[in-house]
Amino acid sequence: MKSSILLFLAAAIGASASAQVNTTSETGLGIALLGGIQYFACTPQAPSKFTTLNIRLGAIVTHRLNDRFDLESGALLGVRLRRDAENTAQGYTIPPPFLVLDDVASARNHYFLSIPVLGVYKLHHPKLAFKAGLAYTFHFPNDNSVTFLTNRGEIGLVAGASLPLKTRLTLAVEYVHGLTELYSSGGTVDGIDYSLSVRHRLVSAGIHYRLTK
């Protein structure tokens, strides 16, 4: 998995370098703050999506390839905030095999580093930009509580759009579709065979502030 990520990043950097030939290129640095809702997508469908608040903050580098296209990357530190457990002493609403998902959502905050590599296409009228690409996310082991997210890396497809508000300020929305299977299990519960597969989904919005002109 790690070697695949390195190869992907190397290819993206190479594409950026080759695209500079015979174009007017410039590179800008900015900061991004995004907040959104992250949830587990399960097969079969779970009785809850176990939604939690996701917050990301970091540096974004935008390289202009030409008048229409940019290449965007950076590093975002984030936290997947814990939520209250759905199963309590007063009520037991999440049955097996989904108990582990309720435990992960309520056990603790999960901190992570996300590295997106995106292509950006800009419209001039109206002034909208659309982006798509991949993001690699690594979840840190931040305490002694180990979950299936601990020390895990994952790949996600990213799609989004942005709208300039002022000269340096942009409103951005993103959707991240997790490709990596984070957890799987199988067995029999109440005489019914099951096979569980879990991935992440994230819907977010936030502000990009360009530090350089």
Side-chain angles (χ1 to χ4, degrees), residues 147-165:
T147 72
F148 61 71
L149 293 179
T150 304
N151 264 336
R152 285 296 302 271
E154 61 174 315
I155 295 288
L157 281 174
V158 182
S162 60
L163 171 68
L165 302 177

Side-chain angles (χ1 to χ4, degrees), residues 149-186:
L149 293 179
T150 304
N151 264 336
R152 285 296 302 271
E154 61 174 315
I155 295 288
L157 281 174
V158 182
S162 60
L163 171 68
L165 302 177
K166 291 185 177 181
T167 303
R168 299 192 180 191
L169 205 61
T170 300
L171 174 66
V173 293
E174 289 183 0
Y175 171 67
V176 182
H177 185 93
L179 299 177
T180 304
E181 185 178 62
L182 298 171
Y183 177 79
S184 63
S185 68

Side-chain angles (χ1 to χ4, degrees), residues 66 68-70 119-124 128-132 162:
N66 55 47
R68 291 282 187 179
F69 291 95
D70 292 344
V120 182
Y121 176 72
K122 297 172 291 183
L123 296 177
H124 292 166
L128 290 172
F130 298 93
K131 62 183 69 178
S162 60

Side-chain angles (χ1 to χ4, degrees), residues 184-206:
S184 63
S185 68
T188 302
V189 176
D190 296 331
I192 300 175
D193 294 335
Y194 75 90
S195 178
L196 177 64
S197 177
V198 179
R199 290 172 170 79
H200 264 152
R201 302 288 186 264
L202 170 64
V203 180
S204 68

Side-chain angles (χ1 to χ4, degrees), residues 108 110 139-143 145-152:
R108 61 172 171 85
H110 289 85
H139 299 269
F140 298 113
N142 54 293
D143 63 17
S145 175
V146 177
T147 72
F148 61 71
L149 293 179
T150 304
N151 264 336
R152 285 296 302 271

Side-chain angles (χ1 to χ4, degrees), residues 1-131:
M1 175 68 74
K2 291 184 178 180
S3 60
S4 299
I5 300 304
L6 292 175
L7 288 173
F8 171 75
L9 293 177
I13 294 171
S16 170
S18 62
Q20 294 181 40
V21 180
N22 298 324
T23 63
T24 301
S25 62
E26 58 185 39
T27 299
L29 176 65
I31 56 175
L33 174 63
L34 301 107
I37 296 297
Q38 191 167 28
Y39 59 94
F40 290 128
C42 305
T43 305
Q45 184 175 343
S48 167
K49 290 186 177 296
F50 307 98
T51 55
T52 61
L53 182 62
N54 179 298
I55 301 173
R56 293 172 289 159
L57 173 65
I60 295 294
V61 176
T62 303
H63 182 73
R64 182 182 181 186
L65 301 178
N66 55 47
D67 192 44
R68 291 282 187 179
F69 291 95
D70 292 344
L71 183 66
E72 183 177 287
S73 187
L76 301 171
L77 289 174
V79 56
R80 185 182 194 274
L81 296 173
R82 67 177 296 273
R83 49 166 280 172
D84 292 336
E86 297 199 25
N87 281 344
T88 65
Q90 289 73 36
Y92 192 85
T93 60
I94 304 299
F98 307 108
L99 291 176
V100 65
L101 304 184
D102 192 35
D103 290 340
V104 170
S106 61
R108 61 172 171 85
N109 297 334
H110 289 85
Y111 297 93
F112 58 86
L113 171 68
S114 183
I115 301 174
V117 178
L118 308 174
V120 182
Y121 176 72
K122 297 172 291 183
L123 296 177
H124 292 166
H125 304 289
K127 285 190 174 181
L128 290 172
F130 298 93
K131 62 183 69 178

